[in-house]
């Protein structure tokens, strides 16, 4: 099993993945962040404790898998920066729900195997989020070898795996937004209607 993972962008999702993957036996080698303070609490929950570095100082030489869990608009820049540093053939995944693995083309050009892994679960906080992957559904797309590695990771997280063709990632995102966002809106409308009937919203 591949063991060494580095995570670029340690917010709610990145932090949750770091904690959860460490519990499942993966070695979290580096947490790559802009502000080191934001990752120190996460690192305290991971054994052995990962290095906390900036993207400028990060060297992915010994990591086998890299997750880019930044905001969508930062993914391409992160991939380009990694491509300038990487000489070994890494597996690189981003976690965007709307963007496909094609945005990692700079890494693919140097021989990295790229894909995307998107958990269909709401992560509001890293520590609680680490417990939410069990039973969650994960959408995967990308190169075949990346999809195979992703399936193993998701199995280890006790999640549910499904894959789509890269060209359908935008449609997938629209489906996910419709299923979640529109459902919440529907519930709000229903509650408002109940309140007009004299039923307490609470």
């Amino acid at each position: 099993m591949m063991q060494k993972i580095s995570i670029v962008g340690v917010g709610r999702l990145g932090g949750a993945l770091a904690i959860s993957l460490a519990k499942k036996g993966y070695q979290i080698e580096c947490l790559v962040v802009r502000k080191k303070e934001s990752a120190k609490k996460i690192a305290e929950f991971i054994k052995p404790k990962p290095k906390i570095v900036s993207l400028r100082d990060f060297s992915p030489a010994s990591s086998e898998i890299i997750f880019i869990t930044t905001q969508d608009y930062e993914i391409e820049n992160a991939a380009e920066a990694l491509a300038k540093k990487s000489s070994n053939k890494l597996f690189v995944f981003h976690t965007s729900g709307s963007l496909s693995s094609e945005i990692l083309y700079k890494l693919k050009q140097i021989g990295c195997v790229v894909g995307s892994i998107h958990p269909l679960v709401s992560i509001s906080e890293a520590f609680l989020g680490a417990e939410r992957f069990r039973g969650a559904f994960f959408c995967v797309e990308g190169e075949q070898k990346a999809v195979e590695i992703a399936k193993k990771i998701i199995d280890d997280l006790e999640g549910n795996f499904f894959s789509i063709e890269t060209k359908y990632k935008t449609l997938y995102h629209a489906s996910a937004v419709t299923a979640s966002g529109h459902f919440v809106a529907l519930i709000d409308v229903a509650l408002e209607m109940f309140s007009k009937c004299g039923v307490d919203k609470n």
Side-chain angles (χ1 to χ4, degrees):
M1 181 180 79
M2 290 191 176
Q3 290 290 322
K4 293 185 178 180
I5 295 178
S6 289
I7 297 177
V8 178
V10 188
R12 293 171 295 179
L13 178 54
L17 278 172
I19 294 168
S20 189
L21 288 167
K23 288 180 179 178
K24 297 300 181 180
Y26 291 86
Q27 181 182 337
I28 307 303
E29 186 174 35
C30 291
L31 301 177
V32 184
V33 294
R34 281 205 185 106
K35 297 179 180 178
K36 294 184 179 181
E37 291 296 324
S38 65
K40 285 183 177 178
K41 290 182 180 179
I42 302 295
E44 291 295 329
F45 282 79
I46 298 171
K47 305 298 179 187
K49 188 180 291 188
K51 298 175 184 176
I52 302 174
V53 298
S54 68
L55 185 57
R56 181 185 60 190
D57 297 328
F58 174 53
S59 174
S62 59
S63 292
E64 296 161 301
I65 303 170
I66 294 180
F67 279 94
I68 300 175
T69 59
T70 62
Q71 296 290 328
D72 285 7
Y73 66 87
E74 297 178 316
I75 292 173
E76 188 171 9
N77 288 337
E80 186 172 354
L82 288 172
K84 293 176 181 177
K85 297 169 175 285
S86 302
S87 57
N88 54 331
K89 310 307 181 187
L90 302 167
F91 286 86
V92 184
F93 299 94
H94 72 67
T95 54
S96 169
S98 59
L99 300 174
S100 78
S101 57
E102 290 177 347
I103 201 165
L104 304 178
Y105 68 95
K106 290 282 189 181
L107 287 159
K108 187 174 180 178
Q109 286 176 347
I110 64 165
C112 293
V113 181
V114 302
S116 71
I117 300 177
H118 179 248
L120 265 169
V121 62
S122 176
I123 304 293
S124 59
E125 192 268 338
F127 297 98
L128 294 175
E131 305 299 323
R132 302 203 66 189
F133 296 126
R134 186 185 301 110
F137 284 85
F138 291 74
C139 176
V140 175
E141 61 80 31
E143 296 181 81
Q144 183 58 39
K145 287 183 179 179
V147 171
E148 291 169 6
I149 294 298
K151 185 178 188 308
K152 179 65 172 66
I153 292 170
I154 293 163
D155 285 345
D156 289 338
L157 291 174
E158 299 178 62
N160 299 294
F161 164 95
F162 69 96
S163 63
I164 61 172
E165 292 182 46
T166 296
K167 65 183 180 181
Y168 293 128
K169 188 65 183 284
T170 302
L171 181 60
Y172 157 80
H173 179 63
S175 302
V177 169
T178 300
S180 58
H182 291 191
F183 178 72
V184 171
L186 182 62
I187 293 297
D188 285 343
V189 170
L191 288 173
E192 186 63 29
M193 293 167 70
F194 275 124
S195 70
K196 290 182 178 179
C197 296
V199 178
D200 189 339
K201 286 185 179 182
N202 299 318

